[in-house]
Amino acid sequence: MLHRFFSIAIGLAMATAALAQKADTEVRIFNRDIHSLKIAPADKPFGVPIIALASDEQLNVNFDLIDYDVHYLRYSIKHCNADWQPSQLIESEYVSGFNQADITDYAQSEGTFTHYFNYNFTFPNEEMKILKSGNYVLQVFEQDDPEKVHFQTRFSVCEKTVDVAIETSSRTDVDYNDAHQQVSFEVTYKPGTIQDPYQELKAVVTQNSRTDNAVTIDRPMMVGGDKVTYDHNPALIFKAGNEYRRMETVHVNSLNMGVSRIEYFEPYYHATVEPDEPRCATQYLYDQTQYGRFTIRNAEATDSHRMADYMITHFTLVPKDLLPKGKIYLQGEFTQGLPLSTTQMTYDAQQGAYTCALLLKQGHYNYQYLFVPDGTSVGLTSPIEGDKYQTINEYLVKIYDRPMGERYDHFVGYAVAFSGR
């Protein structure tokens, strides 16, 4: 009897531990042969991956699988709350029909040294309709082996039942036109639709789609009538950073912006990016970028998704001084989902520089260098890129509502604003 009691107790403890363990819903690439993953609104290739609930809006997913043989793939989605942890909803509550759909649009590469298949699909569609607002994790896997997940990525579906107005300023509560930018915003809703804003509402703010320095605000600063204000909150003061660096590999046999040379060593092209230097001590210089995003393009091709080749792209950072007690990483949309070890810059004593090599498809790329101090997970721009108050950053504010008795966070509104504009 005593043995049975201990067995039950151990079982309950294990179940409790399993429930307490957080699910891994980060953007992840599990198969090293997956490359050039991009998810965006079908009509806005540089937009954030958000669509409106019960609308005709769709998201487009595009990626390559490097292989000589075609893989037959499917995708499914998982509903999550504001913190990107799975909600209590079951599949039939947030998606109609089967929560699996085949990816039927794929094509083999043409005229390239690297053999790959390009996959493309848009959703929601007739096979899969989304019924609830919120955050979603999308997974792509083999048709005959659902456990073999190649990658997972994120998107959101919004009800658009509240209006969000954002302001950004370099005159912050910590400095004046120096190294920071402060975000404030107002949320307006129809009378009676939100009963207790202090308890129901949650706001999430991101800068240039980064997740490492995202900020979650659980309570508004002030509520008045049908308006909620988030202002003078220290958590909403961001390091200003600097404009993203740019380089391109759209040509194989002629000059490319930011690239010193392109050579072929079997089996890959190699592109050498011009050595970068820290900009923390230099004056701000405006350069129009796409806030960290990338575009696939072969200037000589009629269809870049199938006819752009892959290059081992070599990045070099020449420091004025070594940066101890931390690590340096490449950051941009093209690094999302890659293991940190892949994007980490390693010090080459012979060159006296930090280096990193990534297999990238021909195109235009935005990138920057982030320093992550030991024991932390937030990348800093100040040691390498510098923090310039004039920098134009893309700020996204998402508003979630959890009415009393509800089992999930409703994604009810969002807005995008650009600092310095």
Side-chain angles (χ1 to χ4, degrees):
M1 191 73 178
L2 187 63
H3 174 74
R4 183 183 178 190
F5 170 79
F6 280 116
S7 296
I8 293 173
I10 291 171
L12 288 172
M14 292 176 65
T16 302
L19 288 172
Q21 186 176 3
K22 285 192 173 183
D24 181 4
T25 61
E26 297 286 341
V27 178
R28 303 282 190 200
I29 294 177
F30 302 112
N31 181 351
R32 63 181 183 179
D33 293 325
I34 296 290
H35 292 270
S36 307
L37 170 61
K38 194 175 185 72
I39 179 170
D43 60 343
K44 297 177 183 177
F46 291 114
V48 293
I50 298 174
I51 56 174
L53 182 66
S55 72
D56 293 331
E57 296 176 6
Q58 290 182 301
L59 291 161
N60 179 255
V61 180
N62 195 286
F63 63 94
D64 292 336
L65 200 163
I66 295 179
D67 202 338
Y68 283 90
D69 299 320
V70 65
H71 290 242
Y72 300 103
L73 306 178
R74 286 179 177 168
Y75 63 94
S76 65
I77 61 175
K78 179 69 176 177
H79 187 270
C80 295
N81 287 316
D83 61 357
W84 290 99
Q85 287 300 291
S87 71
Q88 297 179 22
L89 299 180
I90 60 175
E91 287 186 355
S92 60
E93 292 180 284
Y94 60 81
V95 65
S96 66
F98 293 103
N99 188 16
Q100 287 191 11
D102 294 336
I103 303 175
T104 58
D105 184 1
Y106 54 85
Q108 189 172 8
S109 59
E110 180 181 330
T112 60
F113 285 103
T114 302
H115 296 269
Y116 62 86
F117 281 83
N118 175 253
Y119 293 80
N120 185 80
F121 65 96
T122 57
F123 73 100
N125 48 47
E126 290 301 318
E127 292 182 303
M128 183 180 293
K129 293 184 183 298
I130 296 175
L131 305 177
K132 293 288 192 292
S133 70
N135 294 331
Y136 285 85
V137 173
L138 177 144
Q139 291 187 327
V140 170
F141 49 89
E142 294 282 342
Q143 279 187 11
D144 57 357
D145 187 2
E147 298 300 316
K148 188 175 181 180
V149 179
H150 290 298
F151 67 85
Q152 63 186 32
T153 189
R154 291 174 166 183
F155 69 95
S156 300
V157 179
C158 185
E159 295 178 12
K160 290 190 172 181
T161 54
V162 304
D163 293 323
V164 184
I166 311 174
E167 290 185 1
T168 65
S169 176
S170 57
R171 298 180 290 276
T172 75
D173 292 340
V174 297
D175 56 24
Y176 185 94
N177 287 351
D178 189 6
H180 296 83
Q181 294 171 349
Q182 188 154 356
V183 177
S184 59
F185 52 95
E186 290 183 343
V187 180
T188 306
Y189 51 91
K190 294 180 180 179
T193 56
I194 297 178
Q195 302 301 322
D196 188 352
Y198 285 113
Q199 297 298 324
E200 293 184 28
L201 295 183
K202 181 177 292 185
V204 178
V205 184
T206 55
Q207 180 193 57
N208 299 326
S209 299
R210 288 173 55 185
T211 57
D212 61 310
N213 65 343
V215 173
T216 299
I217 307 296
D218 292 320
R219 290 176 64 87
M221 297 293 291
M222 184 173 61
V223 176
D226 57 355
K227 184 178 296 184
V228 178
T229 303
Y230 297 76
D231 197 8
H232 293 288
N233 190 325
L236 295 176
I237 300 175
F238 290 81
K239 295 282 190 179
N242 207 337
E243 304 295 345
Y244 276 82
R245 302 174 191 256
R246 293 191 296 159
M247 70 88 180
E248 62 180 31
T249 52
V250 298
H251 299 279
V252 172
N253 299 310
S254 58
L255 293 176
N256 291 269
M257 178 183 63
V259 174
S260 60
R261 63 181 182 274
I262 292 179
E263 304 166 289
Y264 181 76
F265 303 106
E266 191 175 356
Y268 293 112
Y269 283 107
H270 288 252
T272 302
V273 180
E274 294 177 354
D276 291 312
E277 294 183 353
R279 300 184 291 173
C280 51
T282 63
Q283 289 187 342
Y284 169 79
L285 179 64
Y286 171 73
D287 187 17
Q288 185 175 1
T289 68
Q290 290 295 337
Y291 318 106
R293 296 183 176 90
F294 72 92
T295 305
I296 298 303
R297 182 169 181 257
N298 176 350
E300 285 83 32
T302 55
D303 182 352
S304 291
H305 286 301
R306 290 186 302 108
M307 302 171 71
D309 217 327
Y310 275 87
M311 302 180 179
I312 297 181
T313 308
H314 300 265
F315 295 87
T316 305
L317 174 66
V318 184
K320 289 182 171 56
D321 299 295
L322 294 182
L323 295 172
K325 299 183 179 180
K327 297 179 177 64
I328 301 173
Y329 294 95
L330 269 175
Q331 188 273 327
E333 183 187 30
F334 67 99
T335 67
Q336 290 184 8
L338 295 177
L340 288 177
S341 58
T342 303
T343 63
Q344 182 181 342
M345 306 292 292
T346 57
Y347 187 70
D348 185 324
Q350 187 173 358
Q351 294 187 54
Y354 292 91
T355 64
C356 180
L358 295 175
L359 186 63
L360 300 179
K361 202 173 185 180
Q362 286 181 270
H364 306 272
Y365 289 85
N366 283 189
Y367 67 99
Q368 66 177 349
Y369 298 100
L370 295 179
F371 178 75
V372 180
D374 292 339
T376 70
S377 59
V378 178
L380 303 179
T381 45
S382 52
I384 301 170
E385 305 295 357
D387 290 315
K388 318 293 184 181
Y389 75 89
Q390 305 97 321
T391 303
I392 299 178
N393 290 304
E394 178 188 80
Y395 289 100
L396 167 66
V397 175
K398 300 170 73 175
I399 304 297
Y400 299 87
D401 178 31
R402 174 74 76 98
M404 184 176 295
E406 276 286 7
R407 295 159 47 232
Y408 72 100
D409 293 335
H410 296 245
F411 177 27
V412 292
Y414 75 97
V416 175
F418 300 90
S419 56
R421 291 187 179 177

